[in-house]
Amino acid sequence: MASVTFEGVSKRYGDVTAVDGLSLDVRDGEFMVLLGPSGCGKTTALRMVAGLEEISDGTLRIGDDVVNRVEPAQRDVSMVFQSYALYPHMTVRGNIESPLIARRYPVDGTTRKLTKVERAERVAEAARALELTPYLDRKPRALSGGQRQRVALARAIVGRPKAFLMDEPLSNLDAKLRTQTRRELVELHQRVGTTVIYVTHDQTEAMTMATRIAVMSAGRLQQAGTPEEIYTAPANQFVARFLGSPPMNCLDGKVTVEGITVGEAWFPIPTGLRTRLEEGRLVTVGVRPEHLSLDAAGTVKAQVRASEWLGHDRLVFCTLDGQDLLVRATSDPPSGVVTFAVDPANVHVFDTESGQRLT
Ligand code: ATP
């Protein structure tokens, strides 16, 4: 096991900067999710750790070792891809064993090839960890999609790498299997404790699996923190709107004596921020749809346009001073103008120009 440290790491392809000055410390044993929209540079960042892409600038460490110029095979990391290509002619046992055959491994202070008996022990252990023991003699075509994915994972853990690198490993699975495999991956990580760097654009995967999330956009790290930190205190408007479904409402407003005024409505200012926002300043106020509640004594008056029933709650589409406001409500709101309340602790304020959170 080992930490993985990016120090000002960049990757350029001609004019395109895929990763721009990334500094991130993935701690030993951590489950770090790189999250961001398509093209934000997360796969490139992962491939640089694997040694599949050269680094244009900066320093990359695995443990204490600088690996900028270390060959992929010498980095002792294991990559699981989206398409978990298995050898079709080999059994599950053969597939799991395959990475052990060619390589040398550190054993009792020396580095050597494993014996047949040692290989069999490791295969049995990996198969047990992924509940594949009953399938060891089957060929991949006789397995379900989820079982095949578990074989790919077993093949990744069998060499006991310093870190697992996973690039959207669940994206080929259907929704039900994805939820189940997500849980299995988390439990596997808890059992083996190996550092994981996991790339996805799916915020649910990030929120449910990560010990920390690194949100990226346009090649740059936007924020790194626990799922709770990122949800409750997004560093900027991009992060605020990327995490949360439906996304946070962000409305243009102005600081007044009452609070942050948007048309005829106003939002309370979070306690710590009140004395630091000068009156008249233009800001963007952010409120998650789940943090607005129907309340006649509230200060957020909005025009209801439509509502959608989702089963356990509703999405209410409103307009406020010509801007959209989305509310998650447990009951059907009356039509026309409705008043909502919001707790100041759930109000986020951003600088309108830079998009940065004001704290
Ligand atoms: P996705 O989720 O779609 O895989 P991503 O966030 O993983 O996206 P990357 O694959 O890392 O993004 O790509 C980041 C940027 O670098 C993109 O603009 C992409 O077009 C560019 N890029 C990636 N690989 C190359 C390459 N070999 N040559 C030129 N540009 C590249």
Side-chain angles (χ1 to χ4, degrees), residues 165-184:
L165 311 177
M166 303 192 183
D167 191 359
E168 311 233 10
L170 308 184
S171 62
N172 287 340
L173 306 178
D174 66 39
K176 188 165 161 247
L177 203 52
R178 205 155 55 219
T179 312
Q180 185 189 329
T181 315
R182 196 167 80 198
R183 224 12 41 219
E184 285 171 2

Side-chain angles (χ1 to χ4, degrees), residues 97-166:
E97 189 184 18
S98 59
L100 298 181
I101 292 176
R103 282 195 48 199
R104 303 161 77 83
Y105 288 88
V107 186
D108 304 330
T110 57
T111 303
R112 59 168 171 81
K113 286 198 169 177
L114 300 179
T115 65
K116 213 171 161 188
V117 173
E118 285 168 337
R119 293 203 306 263
E121 277 168 9
R122 288 211 186 186
V123 170
E125 186 188 305
R128 262 199 310 277
L130 285 143
E131 293 171 21
L132 287 166
T133 311
Y135 311 110
L136 280 170
D137 295 315
R138 288 203 197 168
K139 298 272 175 67
R141 66 170 178 276
L143 298 176
S144 71
Q147 289 162 344
R148 280 183 214 161
Q149 178 63 300
R150 298 216 298 271
V151 177
L153 289 170
R155 196 167 57 180
I157 70 169
V158 77
R160 297 181 191 155
K162 287 183 180 154
F164 294 133
L165 311 177
M166 303 192 183

Side-chain angles (χ1 to χ4, degrees), residues 24 30 32 210-215 223-230:
L24 179 68
E30 185 162 41
M32 173 68 83
T211 49
R212 280 195 305 151
I213 301 174
V215 184
Q223 185 173 9
T226 63
E228 196 186 341
E229 281 163 357
I230 291 198

Side-chain angles (χ1 to χ4, degrees), residues 51-111:
L52 303 173
E53 297 289 347
E54 263 186 42
I55 295 167
S56 311
D57 244 327
T59 306
L60 183 70
R61 289 176 210 274
I62 298 178
D64 294 329
D65 305 325
V66 174
V67 295
N68 287 39
R69 310 223 164 273
V70 175
E71 288 296 311
Q74 308 307 320
R75 293 190 183 200
D76 210 4
V77 294
S78 189
M79 186 129 169
V80 182
F81 294 93
Q82 219 167 62
S83 55
Y84 35 85
L86 302 177
Y87 298 113
H89 59 285
M90 281 189 193
T91 59
V92 168
R93 187 191 311 282
N95 269 285
I96 300 175
E97 189 184 18
S98 59
L100 298 181
I101 292 176
R103 282 195 48 199
R104 303 161 77 83
Y105 288 88
V107 186
D108 304 330
T110 57
T111 303

Side-chain angles (χ1 to χ4, degrees), residues 35 203 206-207 213 215 227 230-231 238-248 288:
L35 175 71
Q203 52 150 323
M207 295 291 269
I213 301 174
V215 184
I230 291 198
Y231 179 82
F238 176 84
V239 177
R241 288 188 61 79
F242 196 76
L243 264 103
S245 177
M248 185 185 284
R288 296 199 182 277

